[in-house]
Every structure is written in C-alpha cells, then in structure tokens.
Amino acid sequence: MASFLVVQTDFGLQDGAVNAMYGVAYQVEPELTITNLTHEIEPYNIHDASYRLFQSAMYWPAGTVFVSVVDPGVGSERRSIVAKLAGGQYIITPDNGTLTYLATYTGIESVRQIDEATQRLAGSSESHTFHGRDVYMYNGARLASGKVSFEELGAELLLDEVTRFPLVEPTQTPDKISGSIDILDVRFGSLWTNIPLAFFKEWQVAYGDRFLVKIYEGEVLRYEDRVTFGRSFAQVAEKEAVLYINSLLNVGLGINLGSFAETYKIGTGTAWKIIITKEREA
C-alpha cells in the first residue's frame, strides 16, 4: 500500500512546475495520495522551508514522504539527500540547511545521499535545473510507493555531515527572556518565537499578566510596549497586542483582528530578537 507524499516548494502555482511534479509521481504510482504542505515559500528562503517542515512533519504517520524543493543551488555541487526522522517520516531535499529545524528539534535517525546520476527520471539527465521534478519528486514517489527502499536510494552520510544554518538559543533569567522570531503565522501576521512554554511556566505566568516586550532587528529597536498574556486573541481588545502560546507550544505575539508583522514592520529569522521583561503592572 502506498504511503503519503507531501510536497513543499518555492515555485508558486502560476505555471506548470508543480503540476509536472505531480505528473511524474503519478506515473510512478497512480494510487499515491499526494498533498501540498505549501508552494508559497519565499523564493530561495531555506530558513522558512526548514521551519515549515518542522511545523508539519511530526503530525504525519510514519512512512510519509516529504519532498521539499527550495533549491537556490540547483545544478551545483550541493548534495541531494533523503533523511529518516525519529518518528519514521522521510524528507527528500537539497542538502542546503533545509533539515536544520528537524535535526535540532525533532530528531533525525539516518541520512543518505541520493545519486543524482542514476536515481532520476528517465530521459532527464541533460537537464540540471529541475531536480524537484527529475530527482526529488521522482524518488519521493518511488519511496512512498515502496518501489525503492530508503537504503537503496544512496550511501549513508554521517549526521554531522548534513548542512545546517545557525539557530538562536532562547535564554531565561529570573527577570528576562530572550529568543528569536522564527516565522510568521502568515495569513494573520502573528509572530512565532522560539521561546518555549516551559519558560512561562517557570515564571508561573497567569493570563492577564503584562510584560515589557522589545523587538530588535540586529541592534535596532523596532518595537517596545507592555503586552498582556492571554489564552487567545479574543482576551484583549480589538487591535491590541497579545502574547499567547501557539500551536507548537511556543510563545507567540499577535494583534487581535490585525497583523502584528504588517503593523510594526517586523521580519523573521535569526537577525530578529525578542526580549520579554518581567515588569508586571500593578
């Protein structure tokens, strides 16, 4: 029985690229169940591709195959790899940092390098700009349908050989918490940080408590205000900011019925730092 095949790219849906990838997969196995993670990753944004896999992969059954194609180095010497996660899911992707969040927070059991010369769609060897179709989706469909095993896809790599980008470690003192703004809840413009719920539990934070929040881009202060901690957005007035716990059990920062990111021009990534200070108002 075929497993699930989940696809992520930065291609968008304006042309036929994603559709062609689907076609290749269905030629391998017409009974596959294929679904999209997203095709709206910002072009070349490896960081966001890495986070979206982390956000999603753990919730899929063991055996699910993810194909992630955000590949600014396509056709270069960068490797094509397949990883088996601790939960039994598989990720096929360029070795360009896409596995960073999964390696750090989810756990990778094993990684193999796909031989691009032999493990690819028949007749595609003269093209070097669409490995998403010719290497990744093709092999993703083969793996998901059981037509090739994980071990057959290539030679094993050491886990520390896999490319990663640096992440910011959240920190906590008796009076201050700091972390990074990892990603946006894109549709609604809320900020998702890497600050874990455990930090708020350590502080014994209660709904309604207020804290001084500062956001920096590098060394430049971009936002400063006191913000209420709420169970959800509806616990504050319309257009008011709120700290909350998001669906991954990290601290989020949003606006009730508004976009925090758009309102305050806040971005994401390791350059964006958030500091929460324990200055509760009486």
Side-chain angles (χ1 to χ4, degrees):
M1 179 179 176
S3 187
F4 298 104
L5 185 60
V6 183
V7 192
Q8 168 177 270
T9 73
D10 58 354
F11 297 165
L13 296 172
Q14 295 91 347
D15 62 17
V18 172
N19 187 266
M21 292 171 66
Y22 267 59
V24 165
Y26 284 131
Q27 284 194 56
V28 171
E29 176 49 69
E31 300 302 317
L32 277 173
T33 299
I34 308 176
T35 190
N36 298 319
L37 195 167
T38 180
H39 296 292
E40 300 303 325
I41 298 292
E42 180 186 24
Y44 320 124
N45 193 327
I46 295 164
H47 173 277
D48 284 10
S50 180
Y51 194 94
R52 295 307 180 196
L53 287 171
F54 163 63
Q55 180 185 358
S56 305
M58 71 182 84
Y59 297 104
W60 283 81
T64 300
V65 178
F66 287 78
V67 170
S68 179
V69 191
V70 177
D71 193 13
V74 63
S76 69
E77 294 302 312
R78 66 93 185 92
R79 297 176 295 197
S80 295
I81 55 177
V82 54
K84 183 177 182 181
L85 304 185
Q89 304 89 350
Y90 298 95
I91 313 291
I92 294 180
T93 185
D95 180 24
N96 57 11
T98 299
L99 293 179
T100 299
Y101 274 95
L102 290 170
T104 304
Y105 295 111
T106 302
I108 294 176
E109 182 180 300
S110 181
V111 180
R112 291 181 175 269
Q113 181 174 350
I114 298 171
D115 186 340
E116 295 176 2
T118 61
Q119 305 281 6
R120 63 182 301 137
L121 181 67
S124 69
S125 61
E126 296 300 321
S127 174
H128 304 286
T129 60
F130 200 176
H131 285 170
R133 178 195 65 193
D134 301 336
V135 178
Y136 302 140
M137 197 68 161
Y138 172 68
N139 284 301
R142 295 169 73 211
L143 183 58
S145 63
K147 289 180 167 57
V148 69
S149 70
F150 173 65
E151 291 75 16
E152 290 172 323
L153 281 174
E156 188 169 10
L157 298 173
L158 297 175
L159 294 182
D160 61 9
E161 292 183 77
V162 176
T163 302
R164 299 191 199 187
F165 52 78
L167 295 177
V168 173
E169 188 76 18
T171 62
Q172 181 178 29
T173 70
D175 299 309
K176 186 177 294 185
I177 289 172
S178 67
S180 61
I181 299 170
D182 282 348
I183 205 78
L184 297 182
D185 184 354
V186 176
R187 181 81 170 170
F188 301 102
S190 300
L191 314 182
W192 283 19
T193 79
N194 68 338
I195 298 169
L197 168 61
F199 282 14
F200 270 22
K201 287 190 172 183
E202 178 70 22
W203 272 2
Q204 298 182 333
V205 173
Y207 296 136
D209 288 345
R210 290 171 64 82
F211 299 90
L212 178 65
V213 176
K214 295 182 180 181
I215 297 174
Y216 291 86
E217 181 185 12
E219 301 300 319
V220 180
L221 181 65
R222 297 298 188 187
Y223 174 83
E224 179 178 5
D225 204 354
R226 283 183 170 81
V227 181
T228 301
F229 175 61
R231 185 178 66 178
S232 67
F233 303 96
Q235 288 201 273
V236 298
E238 186 174 334
K239 305 304 181 184
E240 184 178 335
V242 61
L243 289 163
Y244 66 98
I245 302 301
N246 71 15
S247 59
L248 295 182
L249 301 184
N250 287 335
V251 175
L253 178 59
I255 290 178
N256 185 20
L257 301 179
S259 169
F260 197 102
E262 289 185 7
T263 300
Y264 297 105
K265 310 304 179 190
I266 305 299
T268 63
T270 55
W272 288 87
K273 183 178 182 181
I274 180 169
I275 298 175
I276 302 172
T277 304
K278 202 174 184 180
E279 295 185 0
R280 305 181 189 182
E281 294 182 344

